[in-house]
Amino acid sequence: MPWSRIVSGIFAIALALVATLLGGWYFTIAIAVIVFLGHQEYFNLVRARGIAPAAKTTMFVSQVLLVICTVDGNLADAVLPLAGTFICFYLLFQPKMATIADISASIMGLFYVGYLASFWVRLRALGSAALSNLPLGGYWPLNWADIWQQNFTYLPQGLTMTLLTFLCIWAADIGAYIFGRFFGKTPLSDISPKKTVEGAVFGITASVAVALAGASYLHFPRFIITGVALGLLIGIASLLGDLTESMLKRDAGVKDSGQLIPGHGGILDRTDSYIFTAPLVYYFVTLLLPVIRNS
């Protein structure tokens, strides 16, 4: 593995962990930068197919969506149809008549890059406002020793769940890569020829193992059931996100979505596993866990 890939990967993980720990507007800004760069790469893929999307408008409303999520997450779902309507309105009144592909690619860009990413902001915000001890809604542990002594349970729920989700995704990606590289024999899909069934199964298993450990440590209700369920959700969603981005690149006829990160390609190449996971984890925490806890 090239050193540029290792160094850039470590640097990206460090930035992600710091932004996640801080939370608040710090985390929102980090997600906003990723969404902005992701949109640029997505629309470059779209344009490679001769489609003319409402790129600037979609990028703008996606940023507005992230801001609203930070101010009040309950309003976020109301913004999506309004933003979609605004994009359609913009395209329909252009000098050149928009096509179905132009409108579809624009709405897909809003959903795929902007709306799904907004769930990371909502997930990190869970239980964080009351524990904020920095300006702009930020948080920083005052005593690191207490973290280990109190089993992380006094930390903001959004922080612990976001970190646990990251760990599950990393376990799934690393497990699938290593096991698939050495033991994989059965191709998984023509969309991504290098992926194997063996690697995918081991990656999902690694995600389940990490989720089980996290569920036990964070005292989830019926932690074996909830831990396995969470690990399966994250492992499968991570794999689907990877395959979906590979499908987009394959259709556009490119190997990487961009060249932003040395040794890794574009921002979408590195965040594809995260795209579908946040909504599932968010609703797992806000809908499923309370039901199991009260049953």
Side-chain angles (χ1 to χ4, degrees):
M1 183 178 294
W3 279 104
S4 60
R5 182 181 177 91
I6 297 174
V7 173
S8 59
I10 293 174
F11 183 71
I13 290 174
L15 287 178
L17 289 177
V18 171
T20 303
L21 184 60
L22 288 170
W25 285 100
Y26 306 97
F27 187 72
T28 300
I29 291 172
I31 296 296
V33 172
I34 293 172
V35 168
F36 175 78
L37 296 173
H39 263 135
Q40 289 187 319
E41 293 180 0
Y42 168 79
F43 287 123
N44 285 337
L45 295 177
V46 167
R47 293 189 186 101
R49 298 293 294 164
I51 300 172
K56 292 181 180 179
T57 304
T58 305
M59 293 167 75
F60 173 75
V61 296
S62 292
Q63 297 296 324
V64 171
L65 177 60
L66 294 177
V67 171
I68 291 175
C69 281
T70 307
V71 175
D72 187 353
N74 295 323
L75 298 176
D77 290 329
V79 176
L80 182 65
L82 294 175
T85 302
F86 184 74
I87 291 171
C88 290
F89 182 85
Y90 173 83
L91 283 171
L92 291 173
F93 288 91
Q94 291 299 296
K96 180 183 176 182
M97 186 174 68
T99 66
I100 295 175
D102 297 339
I103 298 174
S104 300
S106 300
I107 299 299
M108 175 64 176
L110 171 65
F111 173 78
Y112 180 70
V113 183
Y115 178 69
L116 293 180
S118 74
F119 280 92
W120 283 111
V121 175
R122 287 190 256 183
L123 179 64
R124 177 59 185 85
L126 292 175
S128 298
L131 298 175
S132 171
N133 56 16
L134 292 176
L136 302 178
Y139 170 82
W140 194 260
L142 299 179
N143 190 339
W144 290 90
D146 288 345
I147 294 177
W148 302 104
Q149 295 173 4
Q150 300 188 34
N151 294 335
F152 295 103
T153 53
Y154 83 106
L155 296 175
Q157 184 186 32
L159 172 58
T160 56
M161 288 307 306
T162 302
L163 290 176
L164 178 57
T165 304
F166 284 169
L167 290 174
C168 289
I169 293 173
W170 295 342
D173 285 349
I174 295 172
Y177 175 79
I178 294 177
F179 198 84
R181 183 179 180 87
F182 291 101
F183 303 103
K185 295 181 180 180
T186 310
L188 178 65
S189 170
D190 292 337
I191 295 174
S192 185
K194 292 184 179 180
K195 287 184 172 51
T196 63
V197 173
E198 293 83 0
V201 170
F202 190 82
I204 294 172
T205 302
S207 173
V208 170
V210 173
L212 265 174
S216 174
Y217 208 64
L218 296 175
H219 306 297
F220 280 15
R222 302 181 184 178
F223 79 91
I224 295 179
I225 297 175
T226 52
V228 170
L230 180 63
L232 286 173
L233 282 176
I234 296 174
I236 294 173
S238 172
L239 176 62
L240 291 178
D242 196 334
L243 290 174
T244 300
E245 201 252 347
S246 295
M247 180 179 64
L248 294 175
K249 292 188 295 184
R250 193 177 184 87
D251 188 48
V254 298
K255 180 181 178 182
D256 296 320
S257 63
Q259 299 297 327
L260 178 67
I261 308 174
H264 290 269
I267 198 74
L268 289 180
D269 293 317
R270 289 301 91 205
T271 60
D272 53 9
S273 298
Y274 300 77
I275 291 175
F276 294 120
T277 51
L280 295 177
V281 175
Y282 176 79
Y283 287 120
F284 176 88
V285 174
T286 58
L287 297 180
L288 184 59
L289 278 186
V291 170
I292 295 177
R293 184 175 287 112
N294 296 327
S295 63

